[in-house]
Amino acid sequence: MEWAALKLKQGRAAYDAETGDLHVKFSGSAPVRHANIPPHVYQNLSETNDPHFYYQYYIAPSRVSPARRGPISMISYGLKLVLLLAACSLLMATDLDTGHGGIFEESELRSN
């Protein structure tokens, strides 16, 4: 897989026809990998006069996130969920009236 310059020298792209992986690098940014890209999309990217626009509109939504972020992200979401559940439990576990064991008579409710 070799890198090819895009028109107007805005970036480079490398395409693997066997796997459908497309690697794109624009000046000032890191290379990005995209999976399952049809050959005609890569051909259009290499032939267009505005490769940056074509990339943003047609290819960028199929970006493949690095695999190393997956487990860390899941742990982060898990911790947030545990904290949210703990906060909800604290809010719901209010001690309304220790003298009655939390049971109120109808007359007590009306007087408030």
Side-chain angles (χ1 to χ4, degrees), residues 9-109:
K9 298 185 181 182
Q10 294 181 352
R12 299 177 296 147
Y15 182 69
D16 185 352
E18 293 178 12
T19 63
D21 286 349
L22 173 66
H23 298 265
V24 178
K25 177 170 182 358
F26 285 101
S27 59
S29 65
V32 179
R33 183 175 74 93
H34 301 275
N36 302 320
I37 301 296
H40 72 276
V41 173
Y42 169 68
Q43 183 178 0
N44 291 344
L45 175 67
S46 63
E47 293 175 358
T48 184
N49 288 329
D50 191 356
H52 193 265
F53 173 80
Y54 185 87
Y55 171 79
Q56 290 295 329
Y57 191 77
Y58 293 105
I59 302 171
S62 68
R63 181 178 182 169
V64 176
S65 297
R68 60 184 161 84
R69 292 187 184 177
I72 294 172
S73 177
M74 294 302 290
I75 292 171
S76 171
Y77 287 126
L79 289 174
K80 289 176 186 176
L81 180 62
V82 167
L83 289 173
L84 180 64
L85 291 174
C88 290
S89 296
L90 288 173
L91 290 173
M92 294 182 69
T94 57
D95 192 12
L96 297 175
D97 187 2
T98 57
H100 295 342
I103 300 173
F104 294 95
E105 297 292 328
E106 183 177 348
S107 61
E108 293 176 3
L109 294 174

